[in-house]
């Protein structure tokens, strides 16, 4: 990897991604394998006058050993200092950057039931702190290749060649290849904003999906929904871009308003295992039946983690000709694969997809059926002949997607 790209990438992450403001704290979460790149991010944070920068290191191999050798009870317990840290972060609202290089197979062979029980137990303790800081902070997920991830994507290449190819794909899809990535991002953000604005102006009641693969779905949108895209504004008033790359325009489905069948169009990488060729049947919002050619068990385990996992938290529109899809690569990483085509997400919804969420109480979120879950799992349903029709409250229809791409 050319060092020049590390510098460009770090600058893009700090200036456009979290849009760091003078005097803010930054927490970077990254694996020990990316220390050279993380050092560049740290430098860039100080160059933009961060008050403090902390790095929380992780390591896939060690996480895996812990999951195998420590008991469910030990791993489920949130230690006092861990809770104190969550409380401190909820009060000080640092910006966070998560550098993802995870091996899609990292958890293969780990007891999935044990793993999901641990996640549910920890989530319950840490949730109040997460709720407290939700939407207040500027955050970002970006990715760099690890050998394990690159080999999963390019299994027939040498380690070096696989990493080089994955870097190439990341550089292209995150728009790092031009002279001025910051400017390229500003243009891209404006393009996506135009789409979300059009959808917000239509104020649709529901969407209907049709594809020759068998997808036949009616999806009601949450009343007062707001379509969002690449640029969000935190409750502290700072703009930021949470995902790099991003191609999606997304909002909140009505919890009990989804009916019909959707067919997956890309494998889903879930807790270290691939779920392939699956079909989901929804009735009044609930995924009542899932049939997968591969990975049925891991999909069911995820859906059974809590009641809300069987309901949708997000509907996202991404054209089938997105730069990510055009690479022809299955990344086995949600950050990339979810930006390859239209998707839905099981589980948690985003509060800022509702107009006026800033002043809503937890009670009001409950009343409108806000879907709150330990999971947020995106799965891809876009295809080259996907048609999406939007219908407004007067029954007027609009072609939103035609043959897999934007029609508005
Ligand atoms: Zn999404």
């Amino acid at each position: 990897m050319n060092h020049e790209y590390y510098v460009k990438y770090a600058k893009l992450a700090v200036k456009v991604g979290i849009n760091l403001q003078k005097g803010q704290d930054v927490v970077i979460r990254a694996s020990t394998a990316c220390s050279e790149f993380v050092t560049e991010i740290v430098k860039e944070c100080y160059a933009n006058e961060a008050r403090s920068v902390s790095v929380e290191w992780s390591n896939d191999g060690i996480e895996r050993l812990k999951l195998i050798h420590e008991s469910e009870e030990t791993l489920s317990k949130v230690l006092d200092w861990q809770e104190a840290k969550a409380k401190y972060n909820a009060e000080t609202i640092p910006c966070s950057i998560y550098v993802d290089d995870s091996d899609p197979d990292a958890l293969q062979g780990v007891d999935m039931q044990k793993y999901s029980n641990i996640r549910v137990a920890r989530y319950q303790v840490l949730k109040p702190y997460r709720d407290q800081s939700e939407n207040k902070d500027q955050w970002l997920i970006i990715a760099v290749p690890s050998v394990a991830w690159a080999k999963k994507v390019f299994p027939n290449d040498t380690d070096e060649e696989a990493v080089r190819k994955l870097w190439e794909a990341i550089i292209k899809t995150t728009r790092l290849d031009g002279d001025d990535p910051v400017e390229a991002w500003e243009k891209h953000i404006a393009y996506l904003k135009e789409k979300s604005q059009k959808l917000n102006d239509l104020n649709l009641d529901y969407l209907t999906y049709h594809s020759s693969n068998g997808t036949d779905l009616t999806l009601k949108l949450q009343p007062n929904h707001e379509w969002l895209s690449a640029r969000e504004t935190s409750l502290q008033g700072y703009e930021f871009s949470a995902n790099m790359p991003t191609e999606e325009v997304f909002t909140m489905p009505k919890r009990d308003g989804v009916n019909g069948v959707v067919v997956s169009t890309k494998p889903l990488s879930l807790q270290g295992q691939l779920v392939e060729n699956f079909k989901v049947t929804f009735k009044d919002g609930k995924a009542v039946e899932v049939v997968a050619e591969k990975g049925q068990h891991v999909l069911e385990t995820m859906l059974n983690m809590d009641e809300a996992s069987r309901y949708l938290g997000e509907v996202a529109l991404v054209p089938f000709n997105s730069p990510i899809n055009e690479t022809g690569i299955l990344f086995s990483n949600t950050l990339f694969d979810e930006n390859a085509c239209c998707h839905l997400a099981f589980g948690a919804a985003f509060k800022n997809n509702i107009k006026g969420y800033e002043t809503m109480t937890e009670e009001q979120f409950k009343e409108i059926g806000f879907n709150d879950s330990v999971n947020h799992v995106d799965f891809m349903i876009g295809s080259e002949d996907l048609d999406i029709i939007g219908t407004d409250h007067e029954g007027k229809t609009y072609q939103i997607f035609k043959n897999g791409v934007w029609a508005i």
Side-chain angles (χ1 to χ4, degrees), residues 307-356:
E307 169 77 10
S309 293
R310 285 191 179 262
Y311 289 83
L312 296 179
E314 182 194 357
V315 46
L317 305 180
V318 182
F320 203 68
N321 61 359
S322 96
I324 286 111
N325 214 20
E326 295 214 313
T327 62
I329 296 170
L330 175 71
F331 287 84
S332 295
N333 177 305
T334 301
L335 178 63
F336 291 85
D337 293 332
E338 74 158 340
N339 284 302
C341 62
C342 285
H343 60 269
L344 301 169
F346 291 117
F350 303 115
K351 286 180 175 161
N352 58 348
N353 276 135
I354 302 177
K355 281 192 193 97

Side-chain angles (χ1 to χ4, degrees), residues 146-287:
S146 59
V147 174
W149 176 23
K151 286 289 283 184
K152 178 83 188 175
V153 181
F154 302 106
N156 301 322
D157 289 299
T158 61
D159 289 4
E160 225 169 84
E161 185 61 5
V163 168
R164 193 193 61 75
K165 281 186 176 172
L166 188 53
W167 259 123
E168 211 171 79
I170 291 175
I171 286 168
K172 191 167 181 291
T173 54
T174 52
R175 299 176 157 78
L176 278 177
D177 49 352
D179 292 338
D180 190 345
V182 172
E183 194 193 320
W185 267 81
E186 278 162 8
K187 277 196 189 138
H188 182 52
I189 287 166
Y191 170 77
L192 289 172
K193 199 170 179 178
E194 192 193 310
K195 299 291 180 201
S196 48
Q197 192 55 51
K198 277 185 185 166
L199 286 164
N200 283 325
D201 291 345
L202 290 175
N203 187 27
L204 298 169
D205 182 20
Y206 61 92
L207 301 175
T208 42
Y209 290 68
H210 285 285
S211 169
S212 62
N213 65 15
T215 286
D216 184 357
L217 187 80
T218 304
L219 182 147
K220 274 237 179 206
L221 298 171
Q222 175 64 37
N224 292 323
H225 66 270
E226 171 131 27
W227 290 92
L228 297 173
S229 54
R231 207 69 174 153
E232 296 176 48
T233 306
S234 77
L235 286 175
Q236 302 189 102
Y238 303 122
E239 291 195 333
F240 67 102
S241 292
N243 287 182
M244 288 182 160
T246 182
E247 302 290 337
E248 64 174 356
V249 178
F250 62 99
T251 194
M252 188 188 297
K254 190 169 182 306
R255 191 179 195 264
D256 59 0
V258 185
N259 284 286
V261 175
V262 279
V263 177
S264 73
T265 53
K266 284 187 188 291
L268 167 64
S269 178
L270 200 58
Q271 297 169 2
Q273 293 177 53
L274 282 185
V275 185
E276 289 179 55
N277 299 325
F278 59 100
K279 196 166 124 177
V280 188
T281 306
F282 289 93
K283 183 154 193 331
D284 297 332
K286 188 173 182 177

Side-chain angles (χ1 to χ4, degrees), residues 52-71:
S52 73
V53 185
S54 323
V55 184
E56 292 180 2
W57 297 107
S58 63
N59 180 292
D60 272 353
I62 294 173
E63 297 306 318
R64 184 187 158 79
L65 286 170
K66 277 178 86 72
L67 277 164
I68 290 169
H69 295 285
E70 295 185 20
S71 71

